[in-house]
Amino acid sequence: SVNIVAFGNERDCFSEDNQQPSLIWSYLGGSALISQIDSSLSASHVGNPVFTEYQACVFGNVRLVVHDCPVWDIFYSDWYTSSRLVGGADIIVIKYSVNDKTSFQELKDSYVPMVKKALNHCSVPVIISAVGARKNGVPCTCPLCTSDRRSYVTTSEGVQLAKEFGATYLELHTLNDFYIQKYFGGVLEYFMIQSLNQKSSEKMKKRKKSQKCHRVQPPQLEQPEKMPILKGETSHYNTDLHNLLCCCQCADVAFYSEDLSTAVEAHKIILCSVSHLFMLLFGVKSPTDAHDASIMQLAQNLFAVEVGDPFPLSPRGVPPYVPPVRVVVKDSVFCSCLPDILHFIYSGAFQWERLEEDIKKKLKDPDKTEHVLEKVKCILKTPGKLNSVKDYKSHQIKRLYNTSLRLFFNTPVLADVIFKIQGATVPAHRAVLVARCEVMAAMFNGNYLEASSILVPVYGVSKDTFLSFLEYLYTDSCCPASILQAMSLLICAEMYQVMRLQHICELYIITQLQSMPSRELASTSLSIVSLLKKAKFHNSDCLSTWLLHFIATNYLIFSQKPEFQELSVEERNFVEMHRWPSNLYLKQLADYRNYVHSQKCHCTVM
């Protein structure tokens, strides 16, 4: 069979005869070589056909399939179908009207690159057909003609496009019998014969290959057993921080109404991570650092800090026994909605529509609702930038904590605990630690020495590993630099029972080992057996199971290493049972080699 795909519309937009048959249909209907023509429409929308499919017979009994696509939009609306058509084509025809300069320019700039991309360097013959007589009278065939270039497509432009595409260029001044059957048809039939010859040659090669003398075949090597798939754990980062507000652990700020009748507790670091206004209010930034006077003005009009200087210039660490800073909310309407606003902030500041609904239900007054929402927008405002309503839609607001809390990672700003590790100190924030790690929550809120201490020693882990652990707690992400570092971080995560971080480290180790080529795996100094022992000791069952399968799958490599002897009897039995290649295959291969040697099957090609 021969598959032809035609793209483009040969009729210009000013044509008076829109009922004139297309180039493809005119050729199929008038060629003496073609019979049994059948056509059907394929449409993406009713009444809007994407392409017409013709099926016919050519050269007697050769099946001919032609897809005529007059609308180039198929590349945008259905890339899969368009790329499939181009990929299966034996011949491609591109048509355009010489009197539609705009369509030609769009074809040249947008669609020809798409066709090239779909071809993916395949050598398929392409015919570019320029159809129609130019409107200024006698058709111009001079490549050097420069007259009236704006109204029609010149020959030189078409020839240049064909050169860039490596295509055959044809000019069809009218769709009569000469231009269609003898000129266009002759070129098309030449390429059809070339395609059939090529397919026939490939078919003969396959037939000769299948007709070769059947010898005793070597044993088939089966694929190794599939190793267990380790699935990642969904992040509960925003939930952890939202739960911190609900339980009010480690609160260091309390908001009061003006009559001191109500109080809402919160955490400075969470508020400062989403708002420059709170940074000013709690001394993280000084008034001289504020580049937006409106934020400073709102802070003074909306809040009043009762303890110490309302705007201290140098933040200090807050010991655990220091009572929360008291902040009076001067706006009573805003104060009544403060619990909802804090829930919005602690949830990641991305559920804006929900906040709107909650405030509307509480206030039941459009003016007051708009007043409170504007205040919230100003609190979340970036200095020097205007707010617009669309900036606060849920689908456009990004989660703030994992980027903003990074600003407070390993810095003394607002820090209320200091870890001492390997002679160095690492500042941190109890609120974040308690929210993200259950072990630390018990440590800082139970009857332990750490609950009343600012300086907390850390043992059994290096400083770099502990910093990576803290970075995960603050940002919900980690990027180990090596397999060994990932294993150290996994051990630290198991020590503090942070299961998601443990799974991330497991996935990193597996991914790195899977990407190692066999040669590197054979020469590496990294001990896979040692990783297996550590994974088992630290209750990483998924990783230890995967590593056993990994050793069994690469049996020929690991069985030659000294570390292989360190496997336990149980582990050795598992590896031998699941080894690849199996003992049975190696025996069959040895038998085959003996047979070949006994038959003296030497190569006869000299």
Side-chain angles (χ1 to χ4, degrees):
S1 65
V2 177
N3 294 304
I4 300 175
V5 179
F7 293 107
N9 190 351
E10 61 270 32
R11 301 186 184 94
D12 60 75
C13 56
F14 303 104
S15 175
E16 298 176 356
D17 186 10
N18 289 325
Q19 302 301 322
Q20 182 181 0
S22 68
L23 171 63
I24 297 299
W25 175 249
S26 298
Y27 168 72
L28 294 175
S31 175
L33 299 175
I34 296 177
S35 60
Q36 303 176 21
I37 305 173
D38 184 25
S39 67
S40 62
L41 294 179
S42 174
S44 57
H45 303 288
V46 177
N48 181 26
V50 175
F51 60 81
T52 304
E53 179 178 321
Y54 301 101
Q55 295 194 19
C57 289
V58 63
F59 305 128
N61 60 350
V62 177
R63 182 167 171 261
L64 177 65
V65 180
V66 182
H67 293 89
D68 190 8
C69 310
V71 181
W72 283 100
D73 289 346
I74 186 175
F75 280 93
Y76 289 120
S77 61
D78 192 349
W79 169 250
Y80 172 77
T81 299
S82 58
S83 59
R84 179 175 57 83
L85 288 176
V86 174
D90 298 314
I91 303 169
I92 294 176
V93 178
I94 295 178
K95 309 166 292 176
Y96 67 86
S97 170
V98 296
N99 293 302
D100 194 346
K101 185 66 174 283
T102 303
S103 298
F104 173 80
Q105 199 62 41
E106 189 176 6
L107 158 69
K108 179 181 177 182
D109 295 339
S110 301
Y111 300 120
V112 166
M114 290 185 180
V115 175
K116 287 183 178 179
K117 179 181 177 182
L119 280 174
N120 195 22
H121 305 292
C122 294
S123 57
V124 176
V126 179
I127 302 174
I128 294 181
S129 301
V131 181
R134 294 172 178 83
K135 294 297 184 180
N136 63 334
V138 180
C140 175
T141 59
C142 174
L144 300 179
C145 178
T146 58
S147 62
D148 199 16
R149 286 182 180 272
R150 296 183 180 178
S151 60
Y152 59 80
V153 183
T154 63
T155 300
S156 59
E157 290 175 317
V159 171
Q160 182 62 32
L161 176 62
K163 286 182 179 179
E164 294 174 359
F165 209 146
T168 301
Y169 177 74
L170 303 178
E171 278 207 358
L172 311 176
H173 300 313
T174 181
L175 297 182
N176 58 22
D177 183 67
F178 171 78
Y179 280 108
I180 293 177
Q181 301 302 332
K182 296 184 179 180
Y183 192 21
F184 173 76
V187 175
L188 188 62
E189 289 157 12
Y190 168 79
F191 285 128
M192 282 194 281
I193 293 171
Q194 292 289 99
S195 175
L196 290 172
N197 289 339
Q198 183 179 356
K199 290 184 178 181
S200 177
S201 176
E202 291 174 355
K203 188 175 181 181
M204 287 297 296
K205 289 179 181 179
K206 290 181 180 179
R207 184 177 300 174
K208 288 180 180 179
K209 187 175 181 181
S210 65
Q211 290 176 349
K212 285 184 177 180
C213 179
H214 292 284
R215 300 169 183 162
V216 176
Q217 297 298 316
Q220 295 296 317
L221 180 61
E222 296 180 356
Q223 292 296 319
E225 292 186 17
K226 289 185 177 180
M227 288 185 280
I229 299 174
L230 186 62
K231 296 182 179 180
E233 184 180 337
T234 304
S235 172
H236 40 80
Y237 187 75
N238 287 324
T239 304
D240 289 343
L241 294 174
H242 184 261
N243 291 339
L244 182 66
L245 177 66
C246 299
C247 66
C248 289
Q249 293 178 326
C250 303
D252 54 5
V253 58
F255 293 94
Y256 289 86
S257 58
E258 286 192 297
D259 58 2
L260 303 181
S261 60
T262 59
V264 181
E265 291 186 327
H267 307 82
K268 293 179 184 178
I269 185 171
I270 304 298
L271 300 176
C272 291
S273 70
V274 298
S275 171
H276 290 268
L277 182 145
F278 287 120
M279 287 186 181
L280 286 169
L281 196 67
F282 300 127
V284 175
K285 287 187 175 182
S286 67
T288 56
D289 296 330
H291 302 290
D292 194 330
S294 62
I295 295 179
M296 187 71 184
Q297 187 67 35
L298 178 64
Q300 293 174 338
N301 294 339
L302 192 58
F303 302 108
V305 181
E306 288 201 343
V307 176
D309 187 355
F311 300 101
L313 297 181
S314 56
R316 299 178 181 177
V318 182
Y321 53 85
V322 174
V325 174
R326 296 175 58 171
V327 178
V328 175
V329 183
K330 299 179 182 179
D331 189 323
S332 60
V333 177
F334 184 88
C335 186
S336 66
C337 299
L338 189 58
D340 298 304
I341 297 169
L342 289 177
H343 277 282
F344 165 71
I345 292 175
Y346 275 70
S347 297
F350 67 95
Q351 298 178 348
W352 180 257
E353 287 87 350
R354 182 175 176 180
L355 176 64
E356 285 182 316
E357 291 298 322
D358 292 343
I359 293 179
K360 285 178 183 178
K361 289 180 182 179
K362 177 169 288 188
L363 298 180
K364 299 179 181 179
D365 185 329
D367 294 335
K368 290 182 178 180
T369 300
E370 184 64 24
H371 168 77
V372 172
L373 291 176
E374 285 299 323
K375 288 282 193 297
V376 176
K377 291 179 185 179
C378 291
I379 289 174
L380 299 177
K381 179 181 178 183
T382 301
K385 293 186 178 180
L386 296 175
N387 288 335
S388 61
V389 175
K390 67 179 182 179
D391 292 334
Y392 293 92
K393 297 301 181 184
S394 291
H395 68 279
Q396 291 180 330
I397 289 187
K398 296 181 180 179
R399 305 189 180 201
L400 301 176
Y401 294 137
N402 54 356
T403 55
S404 300
L405 277 180
R406 186 183 293 275
L407 298 175
F408 298 94
F409 166 64
N410 197 21
T411 63
V413 178
L414 298 178
D416 52 6
V417 63
I418 297 175
F419 292 102
K420 186 174 182 181
I421 179 169
Q422 292 184 333
T425 56
V426 179
H429 307 81
R430 291 172 185 262
V432 178
L433 304 178
V434 167
R436 297 282 287 140
C437 177
E438 293 182 2
V439 171
M440 288 194 174
M443 184 172 70
F444 288 123
N445 292 301
N447 296 321
Y448 298 99
L449 181 63
E450 291 84 356
S452 58
S453 302
I454 295 179
L455 192 64
V456 177
V458 177
Y459 305 103
V461 63
S462 69
K463 177 189 173 184
D464 291 339
T465 300
F466 191 71
L467 280 173
S468 297
F469 172 73
L470 289 182
E471 184 178 12
Y472 169 79
L473 297 185
Y474 277 73
T475 66
D476 202 40
S477 64
C478 74
C479 299
S482 65
I483 292 177
L484 291 178
Q485 185 180 357
M487 179 55 75
S488 299
L489 190 56
L490 183 149
I491 295 171
C492 183
E494 191 268 339
M495 182 190 307
Y496 288 99
Q497 292 297 293
V498 182
M499 303 308 296
R500 182 169 180 268
L501 177 58
Q502 191 171 348
H503 291 157
I504 291 174
C505 294
E506 289 173 341
L507 282 171
Y508 177 86
I509 293 171
I510 290 172
T511 303
Q512 292 298 309
L513 289 177
Q514 282 180 328
S515 64
M516 274 192 182
S518 298
R519 182 173 296 180
E520 182 180 351
L521 199 60
S523 61
T524 182
S525 59
L526 179 68
S527 174
I528 306 300
V529 175
S530 175
L531 292 179
L532 172 64
K533 299 293 185 185
K534 289 180 180 178
K536 280 194 169 185
F537 184 79
H538 293 282
N539 304 310
S540 181
D541 296 332
C542 294
L543 180 60
S544 60
T545 303
W546 188 91
L547 287 172
L548 269 177
H549 277 274
F550 185 68
I551 293 171
T553 303
N554 297 276
Y555 182 87
L556 296 180
I557 294 176
F558 289 110
S559 61
Q560 305 300 318
K561 294 194 172 200
E563 66 188 75
F564 189 77
Q565 307 303 321
E566 299 174 14
L567 292 172
S568 65
V569 175
E570 181 184 358
E571 293 166 347
R572 182 79 67 85
N573 291 337
F574 179 92
V575 170
E576 293 291 346
M577 182 181 299
H578 298 85
R579 59 174 288 179
W580 187 86
S582 65
N583 279 323
L584 177 61
Y585 169 79
L586 294 177
K587 182 179 181 303
Q588 291 173 344
L589 183 61
D591 293 341
Y592 172 75
R593 286 174 174 169
N594 291 334
Y595 168 79
V596 172
H597 181 72
S598 65
Q599 296 295 318
K600 297 182 179 180
C601 295
H602 299 295
C603 179
T604 58
V605 178
M606 300 302 294

